[in-house]
Structures are given as structure tokens and as C-alpha cells.
Amino acid sequence: MRSTKTNVPLYQQLAETLKQLMASGNIGAKEPMPAERELAITYQVSRDTVRKAIRLLEEQGLLYSDHGRGTFAAPESVRQMSRFLDSFTDDTLKRGGVPGQTILSMENVAANMAIASLLHMQPDEPLLRIKRVRLMNSKPIGLQESFLRLPEGAQLTQTELEQVGSLYRILIDKFGIKPSESLESVGAVAAQAEDVALLGVALGAPLLLCERVMLSDRREPVEYCEMKYVPPYRYKTRISKGSAG
């Protein structure tokens, strides 16, 4: 595997190749993965690169190891529960819905101390604040407020966001920022007056609250986002034990 993407490590390229083989059915659910040596020869990479790719796919929930037997492709149900960093647009399409949005506001604001700490920046540095109602099949499904740390001098207009639809797609195509991972917390809140007006729920109704810090592929925090979803929305995640503690 000779890299033409100088910014993408070989192990990530190999992981993506193996992911595509699983998605296409060439490696079926619960089927064993080829041996490290075989993968290294096939894709002309080192065995260390193979190990890193396998480890990445295990962390993403696409592979699992059975001690003494080898590494296997995870069942489809487990793969669907893995939480990949999808945009709302991609996530809605995967659910079979039609994504949409109503942009309520887009403005430059100064980072407060809390958000500045989360995004590893100084208080009062500029952020782009975007507030949107997210739609699924033309029905309001959530209220989303994003604070973006864009490169110095970068500009994003409401017209661009309306035309493209997906904020993450713009980050990738226009700014070369690839959303890669997120740190998330999930809870519940009671609907306030604004939620009643925008989401069509009753005052005090429970809403799913998700707070996210999005990291780029360079492990740099780029976005803090607060998302409130109406009860029909189902949030899937996978929890794994990350250490022996």
C-alpha cells in the first residue's frame, strides 16, 4: 500500500480499506480476519502498521478479539451500535430519513471561559456560533447550537451552510478540517419556552441533551456543540472498557 495521502497515516488507510471490505460483505460478520503476516504482504505494509489498524478497528467496535482464536469482524448489530462521528445529515440518512435544517442565527462571538477551556483557546478569542433547528422528514427533531474554532481569517456564510446542508462536509471540503473523534456527555433536560416554540413539545417535557467536543484528525478540538433532541430520537452508543483499572 503506497500512500498518495501524505497527511493520512498508513495504518488509518489500511483500517479504512478493511472497513470497506466489511461493509461490502467481503469479510462477513463473525468471520476471522486474515493473519497479520498475510495482511502485511497483501498491502505491502509492516506488521506494526497492521497491528495499529486492527487496534483502531477494535476501538471503533468493528472487530473483536477472541483469545486463542484470533480477530473477527463484529456482528452487524454491534457495528450499528458503535458511535462514529457522523454529522446529523449523515446520521439521518443512515436512519432512512431526509435531513433538513432551519438556521436561526450565525454570528461571531467571543469565547467564554468554559468553552475556551474545552476548545483549548484563550477566553475572548473569536468563535463562530451557529444555532439551528434540525429536521428529519421536515419535522423538527432537535435544537443544535455549535461554537466553531475556525482557522484565522476563515469565513463561512449562512448561504453556504444552507446550500450544502452539512456543516461537517463544509469543514472537510472548504477548510481541510476532518472531524475524527468526539468527547460526549449525554443527559436529559426539561423543555424551556424556546424549546416549546421551536420543537413543538410541551413545557417541561423531557429532552435528550448531548454535549460534544469534536476533535479533528490532528486531535485538535474544533467544535463545542450542545444538542437537544425530542423523545422520538434514539441515540445509540457503544461503551467499552479502555483499561485494566
Side-chain angles (χ1 to χ4, degrees):
M1 177 180 289
R2 298 191 177 275
S3 175
T4 58
K5 309 174 190 176
T6 56
N7 293 328
V8 181
L10 275 177
Y11 79 93
Q12 291 184 8
Q13 295 183 48
L14 177 58
E16 185 62 33
T17 297
L18 297 176
K19 188 185 301 184
Q20 292 172 3
L21 289 174
M22 287 185 281
S24 65
N26 287 317
I27 299 177
K30 297 186 179 181
E31 286 188 5
M33 297 295 293
E36 283 183 7
R37 181 173 180 276
E38 182 181 344
L39 288 171
I41 292 173
T42 300
Y43 295 104
Q44 299 181 351
V45 296
S46 70
R47 293 183 70 167
D48 183 59
T49 295
V50 173
R51 292 188 194 102
K52 288 181 178 179
I54 295 298
R55 189 179 308 122
L56 177 61
L57 293 175
E58 287 178 336
E59 291 173 354
Q60 294 178 342
L62 297 178
L63 298 178
Y64 68 95
S65 295
D66 189 341
H67 184 67
R69 296 183 61 232
T71 303
F72 300 81
E76 183 62 29
S77 58
V78 174
R79 287 185 239 166
Q80 289 177 355
M81 286 294 289
S82 299
R83 188 66 188 174
F84 296 102
L85 186 53
D86 288 330
S87 67
F88 177 88
T89 299
D90 290 338
D91 186 55
T92 300
L93 291 171
K94 287 181 179 180
R95 295 168 185 257
V98 178
Q101 65 180 334
T102 300
I103 300 175
L104 302 175
S105 62
M106 283 184 67
E107 59 182 339
N108 293 310
V109 298
N112 62 32
M113 290 187 67
I115 295 178
S117 176
L118 291 171
L119 296 182
H120 299 178
M121 59 193 300
Q122 295 299 315
D124 296 327
E125 284 192 52
L127 291 171
L128 178 62
R129 173 180 176 266
I130 305 174
K131 193 167 185 177
R132 297 179 284 174
V133 175
R134 306 315 307 263
L135 310 174
M136 184 182 293
N137 300 328
S138 300
K139 294 182 180 180
I141 198 76
L143 183 61
Q144 195 173 66
E145 186 172 22
S146 297
F147 294 84
L148 284 169
R149 184 182 184 182
L150 295 177
E152 185 176 355
Q155 298 291 326
L156 173 60
T157 68
Q158 182 167 330
T159 299
E160 287 179 289
L161 185 53
E162 288 172 339
Q163 290 176 342
V164 177
S166 171
L167 177 60
Y168 283 8
R169 176 48 54 192
I170 293 176
L171 292 180
I172 294 169
D173 292 345
K174 184 175 181 179
F175 302 120
I177 299 172
K178 182 180 179 182
S180 179
E181 300 180 50
S182 68
L183 308 174
E184 298 186 344
S185 62
V186 181
V189 292
Q192 303 298 309
E194 181 186 43
D195 307 316
V196 172
L198 294 174
L199 300 178
V201 296
L203 186 66
L207 298 175
L208 176 67
L209 173 67
C210 175
E211 295 178 274
R212 168 190 288 178
V213 175
M214 182 270 282
L215 308 178
S216 72
D217 56 347
R218 297 181 179 180
R219 299 285 298 172
E220 296 171 340
V222 175
E223 176 199 35
Y224 167 74
C225 184
E226 181 179 290
M227 300 164 279
K228 291 189 282 187
Y229 295 112
V230 298
Y233 188 87
R234 293 291 181 265
Y235 185 94
K236 295 182 178 181
T237 189
R238 178 181 62 89
I239 300 173
S240 60
K241 186 174 184 295
S243 70

